Amino acid sequence: MKAIITLVALALSASAVCAKTTVLTADRMIDVDNGKLIKNAVVVIEDNDIVAAGARRTVDIPANAEVHELGDYTLLPGLMDMHVHLTSDATKHGYKGLADSLPRVTLTGVKYAKATLMAGFTTVRNVGAPGFADVALRDAINDGDIEGPRMFVSGPSLGVTGGHCDNNLLPYEFHTVSEGVADGPWAVREIVRRNIKYGATVIKFCGTGGVLSKGTKVGVQQYTFEEMQALVDEAHMRGLTVATHAHGTDGIKTAIKAGVDSVEHVSLLDDEGIALALEHGTYFSMDIYVTEYILGEGAKAGILEESLAKERIVGKRQRENFEKAVKAGVNMVFGSDAGVYPHGDNGKQFARMVRFGMTPMQAIQAATIHPATLLKQQDTLGSLSAGKKADIVGVKGNPLDDISLLENVGLVVKDGHIVKPVAM
Ligand SMILES: [Zn+2]
């Protein structure tokens, strides 16, 4: 006999462990594999996995299933953000960030892991955290001690001495050096090996200057081709993918030639960079929402004036180049740089992605099936189909008509567990 659970009961079942078989029904679901909207949708979950998904007439609802009828909702795969810093607080930039200890920033991550999950992001790639705080967070989430998304983590980002991924805020006598700093091909290989030893599952390095670092030129390359090639070779040999921070034209192109899997920011892109990305199948992760926060709230949050000046130039160029890259057909993934702006607001980037050239379906694919493929997790994550992990979100209405609906995710299921029930 089917137990029909009403929305009232659903609202009461926060964090409840699902019965063996759970069924979600909704007016719509998004099939990101085929780029289609399916009406009258059913998703059948057994323990942690999806066992069937599709139009109601094509899916048998098992007897004894716990059925959640959502009505005017759209079901989507759990959202995936490929560029977050869960241990960073958007109100503590520049010198304000120096006061927090490593245990303190780890606890910051606890708070923001939950905020990210509740916003519908069931998987994140955390690209840069001090002291392997991201590894601790991931392990605490996997152990069930705290709530948060699936995390792919880099540990400390690699970078050149004095580069974007070094800490340049204090004068020489403090001898401050970030944990990922390494110069030379063998030195970068050693840091890649160390990061893997302590739990990293992706490698992140800084290939150009950046907006928020003191004293770096945003357009200027950091690391030579030889260093990038050594770093990428070491990571790939060990089965890890590589993300590079790169705003500058030369850094973007050198990193692509060196074989990186994704380029982050990609602000000062040129036509040759687009051609290289297409040739190499490189993914672009372009954080086109964050500029609004940096220029709006940044000064209050401690962002240095020199960084604001850089952002005024870079933000606009990045949005123009986002549109070019989308038109050219580059592999695009959703990456927001949450942590620079408040965690949980990740979904605000969707509306900007559509404003700057994506269809709503493309924007949703960029936050589901494409990141799953970038992470080489496409067999278990990224779409609502049989055999995949039951990471599912539900939004009221149809996000293909109004993409901003993804800023208010109503239902979140992670690994078959309803972690955020539909509110009444
Ligand atoms: Zn970042």
Side-chain angles (χ1 to χ4, degrees), residues 83 85 204 265 337:
H83 193 125
H85 303 277
K204 156 86 181 289
H265 312 299
D337 221 354

Side-chain angles (χ1 to χ4, degrees), residues 83-85 127-128 164 204 212 245 264-265 287 336-338 340:
H83 193 125
V84 302
H85 303 277
V127 280
H164 178 65
K204 156 86 181 289
L212 298 180
H245 158 109
E264 312 299 301
H265 312 299
D287 51 336
S336 72
D337 221 354
V340 173

Side-chain angles (χ1 to χ4, degrees), residues 21-26 28-34 36-46 49-62 75-77 382-393:
T21 304
T22 308
V23 170
L24 304 174
T25 74
R28 296 163 295 274
M29 78 171 231
I30 300 205
D31 171 4
V32 295
D33 289 321
N34 298 298
K36 281 192 188 141
L37 182 79
I38 293 174
K39 290 193 174 153
N40 297 316
V42 177
V43 178
V44 182
I45 302 163
E46 245 179 55
D49 301 321
I50 296 169
V51 292
R56 190 180 284 244
R57 64 181 187 288
T58 66
V59 176
D60 291 327
I61 297 182
L75 298 173
L76 306 90
S383 65
L384 299 179
S385 51
K388 298 216 179 178
K389 292 283 171 204
D391 288 358
I392 303 162
V393 297

Side-chain angles (χ1 to χ4, degrees), residues 4-343:
I4 304 295
I5 307 298
T6 64
L7 286 176
V8 177
L10 184 55
L12 294 173
S13 66
S15 302
V17 174
C18 288
K20 195 174 186 315
T21 304
T22 308
V23 170
L24 304 174
T25 74
D27 288 357
R28 296 163 295 274
M29 78 171 231
I30 300 205
D31 171 4
V32 295
D33 289 321
N34 298 298
K36 281 192 188 141
L37 182 79
I38 293 174
K39 290 193 174 153
N40 297 316
V42 177
V43 178
V44 182
I45 302 163
E46 245 179 55
D47 294 329
N48 316 109
D49 301 321
I50 296 169
V51 292
R56 190 180 284 244
R57 64 181 187 288
T58 66
V59 176
D60 291 327
I61 297 182
N64 304 319
E66 183 185 287
V67 180
H68 300 257
E69 297 192 325
L70 298 168
D72 180 26
Y73 265 71
T74 304
L75 298 173
L76 306 90
L79 303 172
M80 304 173 78
D81 190 334
M82 292 298 96
H83 193 125
V84 302
H85 303 277
L86 291 181
T87 58
S88 296
D89 189 318
T91 66
K92 295 178 182 174
H93 285 288
Y95 288 92
K96 285 190 177 183
L98 287 179
D100 281 357
S101 66
L102 182 58
R104 182 69 188 87
V105 301
T106 311
L107 292 170
T108 295
V110 173
K111 176 177 161 190
Y112 292 138
K114 182 162 184 181
T116 301
L117 180 62
M118 293 305 145
F121 287 81
T122 54
T123 298
V124 298
R125 189 177 61 166
N126 202 87
V127 280
F132 298 95
D134 51 355
V135 171
L137 266 185
R138 176 200 64 197
D139 292 349
I141 291 166
N142 290 348
D143 287 347
D145 293 347
I146 60 170
E147 280 188 297
R150 290 175 196 284
M151 290 181 72
F152 292 83
V153 301
S154 69
S157 301
L158 284 88
V160 301
T161 296
H164 178 65
C165 285
D166 197 357
N167 183 339
N168 310 320
L169 290 166
L170 298 173
Y172 175 71
E173 59 267 34
F174 287 88
H175 302 291
T176 310
V177 180
S178 290
E179 297 147 308
V181 168
D183 300 299
W186 281 105
V188 298
R189 282 184 188 271
E190 188 179 347
I191 296 288
V192 169
R193 290 170 187 176
R194 184 207 62 185
N195 282 3
I196 295 171
K197 172 177 175 175
Y198 292 107
T201 50
V202 300
I203 296 299
K204 156 86 181 289
F205 77 92
C206 286
T208 72
V211 171
L212 298 180
S213 52
K214 185 166 179 274
T216 70
K217 296 195 174 89
V218 71
V220 170
Q221 184 176 328
Q222 297 172 355
Y223 278 135
T224 64
F225 175 71
E226 289 70 23
E227 287 169 312
M228 291 189 193
Q229 201 180 32
L231 185 161
V232 170
D233 179 61
E234 189 68 35
H236 284 175
M237 186 170 69
R238 302 291 296 276
L240 277 71
T241 56
V242 179
T244 183
H245 158 109
H247 288 283
T249 317
D250 292 339
I252 294 166
K253 292 191 282 195
T254 307
I256 295 172
K257 288 178 196 162
V260 297
D261 300 276
S262 73
V263 184
E264 312 299 301
H265 312 299
V266 212
S267 306
L268 308 177
L269 177 68
D270 67 2
D271 289 344
E272 193 192 358
I274 290 177
L276 282 167
L278 290 169
E279 182 192 332
H280 289 258
T282 317
Y283 286 80
F284 284 171
S285 161
M286 300 177 74
D287 51 336
I288 59 170
Y289 165 67
V290 72
T291 186
E292 293 171 40
Y293 181 82
I294 292 174
L295 296 180
E297 306 294 320
K300 256 188 298 181
I303 293 179
L304 308 177
E305 176 49 39
E306 66 165 78
S307 294
L308 297 173
K310 287 191 259 189
E311 183 59 38
R312 285 181 202 111
I313 297 162
V314 160
K316 189 170 170 292
R317 291 280 305 277
Q318 188 193 34
R319 287 175 163 199
E320 291 163 4
N321 285 326
F322 177 86
E323 200 157 2
K324 272 193 183 174
V326 170
K327 273 209 186 98
V330 174
N331 292 327
M332 303 295 282
V333 288
F334 186 106
S336 72
D337 221 354
V340 173
Y341 73 87
H343 297 280

